């Protein structure tokens, strides 16, 4: 969550935005939906104000919105309209409070740490940004052979550092490949786990008996 720098003193946590006008990114898309589930987990009032992306900076300065949700790709790159906003005016990032982090973690929406200097070109008030990730999955058919999926996962796992060298967007996967699989399963409890992934996680002592394996 980002605010106009001159107004940052009014906000100490995400709860301070509850019921107040915020641009939660364009309505209906994944980042907007992500904050709906965040607010639901925290018990806050979601009051979205739809504006044109190019008007975000002006809306923050004018007070039409009190905050705007910012997002990155793999904790690195900003969308173009956010790059324009941060170049035009000074902003500050408001992180969730420790209590909010606990509630989000309990709801399987644990925030990830993002190095602010890798994302923004100017100081945004914090060195580490806490953001709730959207975990994209490579979805396999349940009847795909277990061994095929298992071999694929092992290849990616063994090549994780090499992948990061080719594209920094792979950094989260390179940093904690097994942990990312666990977060993905935890965030989607109603979706069965492929047998190949289950085998991989069991070998890495990361499997939970409460998870369901597809077809079993």
């Amino acid at each position: 969550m980002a605010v106009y720098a001159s107004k940052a003193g009014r906000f100490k946590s995400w709860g301070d935005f509850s019921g107040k006008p915020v641009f939660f990114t364009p309505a209906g898309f994944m980042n907007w939906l992500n904050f709906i589930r965040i607010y639901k987990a925290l018990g806050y009032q979601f009051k979205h104000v739809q504006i044109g992306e190019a008007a975000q900076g002006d809306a923050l300065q004018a007070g039409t919105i009190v905050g705007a949700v910012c997002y990155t790709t793999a904790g690195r790159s900003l969308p173009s309209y956010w790059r324009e906003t941060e170049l035009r005016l000074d902003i500050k990032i408001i992180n969730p409070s420790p209590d909010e982090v606990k509630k989000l973690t309990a709801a399987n929406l644990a925030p990830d740490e993002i190095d602010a200097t890798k994302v923004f070109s100017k100081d945004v008030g914090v060195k580490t940004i806490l953001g709730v990730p959207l975990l994209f999955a490579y979805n396999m058919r349940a009847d795909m052979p277990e061994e095929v999926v298992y071999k694929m996962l092992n290849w990616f796992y063994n090549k994780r550092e090499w992948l990061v060298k080719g594209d920094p967007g792979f950094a989260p996967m390179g940093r904690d490949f097994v942990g990312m699989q666990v977060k993905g399963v935890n965030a989607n409890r109603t979706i069965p786990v492929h047998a190949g992934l289950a085998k991989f996680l069991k070998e890495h002592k990361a499997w939970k008996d409460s998870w369901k394996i597809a077809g079993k």
Side-chain angles (χ1 to χ4, degrees):
M1 187 72 77
V3 299
Y4 187 35
S6 64
K7 302 175 182 179
R10 305 176 188 176
F11 304 95
K12 303 298 181 184
S13 69
W14 286 358
D16 294 329
F17 297 91
S18 180
K20 296 177 181 176
V22 172
F23 178 49
F24 287 93
T25 74
F29 293 90
M30 58 187 178
N31 295 293
W32 182 82
L33 292 168
N34 194 29
F35 247 87
I36 284 181
R37 65 176 184 166
I38 290 168
Y39 263 42
K40 183 177 180 180
L42 294 174
Y44 296 158
Q45 183 182 351
F46 186 87
K47 186 177 181 179
H48 174 74
V49 176
Q50 182 67 19
I51 58 175
E53 295 171 10
Q56 178 175 257
D58 292 334
L60 283 169
Q61 286 181 303
T64 308
I65 56 174
V66 300
V69 168
C70 182
Y71 64 94
T72 72
T73 298
R76 293 279 182 157
S77 57
L78 286 170
S80 57
Y81 80 92
W82 251 110
R83 182 63 68 197
E84 180 182 348
T85 296
E86 74 122 358
L87 292 175
R88 284 187 52 212
L89 68 156
D90 291 331
I91 65 165
K92 297 297 182 185
I93 297 295
I94 306 300
N95 277 330
S97 68
D99 183 59
E100 289 169 337
V101 170
K102 289 180 181 178
K103 289 181 179 178
L104 290 169
T105 301
N108 295 311
L109 297 172
D112 277 349
E113 294 186 351
I114 302 166
D115 184 343
T117 63
K118 298 287 181 63
V119 179
F120 293 96
S121 62
K122 297 185 289 187
D123 175 46
V124 291
V126 297
K127 292 182 179 179
T128 302
I129 301 169
L130 298 179
V132 176
L134 280 167
L135 300 170
F136 291 88
Y138 187 86
N139 298 308
M140 305 297 297
R141 290 168 55 102
D143 59 0
M144 178 67 71
E146 175 182 323
E147 200 60 24
V148 171
V149 175
Y150 174 73
K151 286 181 178 179
M152 287 175 63
L153 284 162
N154 273 293
W155 188 92
F156 285 122
Y157 177 73
N158 293 329
K159 295 288 185 179
R160 61 192 186 282
E161 294 180 0
W162 174 77
L163 289 169
V164 175
K165 291 178 181 178
D167 187 334
F170 285 114
M173 189 166 72
R175 185 168 54 248
D176 186 7
F177 185 90
V178 175
M180 279 196 71
Q181 315 311 310
V182 171
K183 287 181 180 179
V185 176
N186 273 329
N188 299 279
R189 291 293 187 88
T190 60
I191 302 175
V193 181
H194 193 281
L197 174 57
K199 181 179 179 180
F200 175 85
L201 292 176
K202 287 177 180 179
E203 285 192 357
H204 288 272
K205 310 299 181 184
W207 178 256
K208 296 182 180 179
D209 292 335
S210 60
W211 293 341
K212 182 180 178 181
I213 300 174
K216 296 185 179 179

